[in-house]
Amino acid sequence: MNLPNRLTVFRIILIPVFMLVLILNFPVGNLEFANVKIPFSQILVAIIFAGASYTDYLDGHIARARGLVTNFGKFADPLADKMLVMTAFIFLVSMAKASAWIVAIIVCRELAVTGLRLILVENDGEVLAAKMPGKIKTVTQMLAIIFLLLGDIFFIGTILLYICLIFTIYSGWDYFYQSRDVFKGEL
């Protein structure tokens, strides 16, 4: 197993660790930032999520730079990303730190674009590459989750979540618009 695939597997392993830290909510103490006390457990869970998110960037960068792209990586990397993000969003909704309607739109877009990617590969072997709006969606999504996990100091997480929502909708529309030919004659 090459390094990018190991990083992907590590990201998947971090998901139950992330969940466990959220569930146990260790009462260890607080860190004060800008006159706001942040529980250590929230800092720890944000660090775990940030580290797992960074492996998403790192495994793709290494795989492309070293020519280590594999079928396992093509399958597991996006799956690991979605598992991590959806787990975080489900917990954030349950903790009343993210609106369910926003998370529902994000989840629906992810499922729709994943389905579109499968259809495109099946029809002509085309892999739908991530475009800039999708990359902005991903970065704002990850940052929103981190700030929301930290307690949304100065509403940074909420602002980023709304920016993510805008790019979620736009990039989803753009992917389907650019790939509209795949549905020609079927509607």
Side-chain angles (χ1 to χ4, degrees):
M1 182 174 286
N2 65 33
L3 179 58
N5 289 345
R6 287 181 187 175
L7 288 169
T8 298
V9 169
F10 180 65
R11 185 164 59 258
I12 293 169
I13 291 169
L14 282 177
I15 295 168
V17 173
F18 171 78
M19 290 171 44
L20 194 59
V21 173
L22 273 170
I23 291 167
L24 294 178
N25 196 14
F26 302 111
V28 180
N30 299 317
L31 185 74
E32 193 165 328
F33 175 76
N35 293 328
V36 178
K37 290 183 179 179
I38 305 170
F40 178 73
S41 62
Q42 285 178 231
I43 295 168
L44 182 59
V45 79
I47 290 170
I48 292 168
F49 182 85
S53 297
Y54 183 67
T55 66
D56 175 32
Y57 162 76
L58 200 56
D59 66 11
H61 177 74
I62 293 170
R64 286 184 297 278
R66 297 184 185 172
L68 299 173
V69 176
T70 64
N71 284 334
F72 176 80
K74 289 178 190 176
F75 164 76
D77 178 59
L79 180 64
D81 300 340
K82 286 166 186 37
M83 289 167 54
L84 175 66
V85 168
M86 296 310 130
T87 299
F89 273 137
I90 289 167
F91 272 92
L92 287 169
V93 168
S94 75
M95 296 160 52
K97 292 185 176 192
S99 297
W101 70 271
I102 294 174
V103 171
I105 290 171
I106 292 169
V107 169
C108 288
R109 181 264 189 209
E110 294 299 329
L111 293 172
V113 170
T114 298
L116 177 61
R117 284 189 164 113
L118 291 173
I119 290 169
L120 290 171
V121 167
E122 181 181 299
N123 282 354
D124 58 9
E126 177 186 347
V127 175
L128 183 62
K131 296 181 180 172
M132 190 52 68
K135 291 178 181 184
I136 293 170
K137 183 255 337 159
T138 299
V139 169
T140 56
Q141 179 176 268
M142 300 296 193
L143 290 173
I145 291 169
I146 291 166
F147 279 101
L148 291 169
L149 289 169
L150 288 172
D152 201 15
I153 301 166
F154 308 119
F155 300 104
I156 295 169
T158 300
I159 293 165
L160 287 167
L161 188 60
Y162 279 101
I163 294 169
C164 168
L165 176 65
I166 291 165
F167 279 96
T168 294
I169 294 167
Y170 175 73
S171 66
W173 173 85
D174 187 50
Y175 283 131
F176 276 89
Y177 182 77
Q178 297 299 323
S179 303
R180 65 191 177 278
D181 291 346
V182 77
F183 300 110
K184 226 175 217 173
E186 294 193 15
L187 296 176

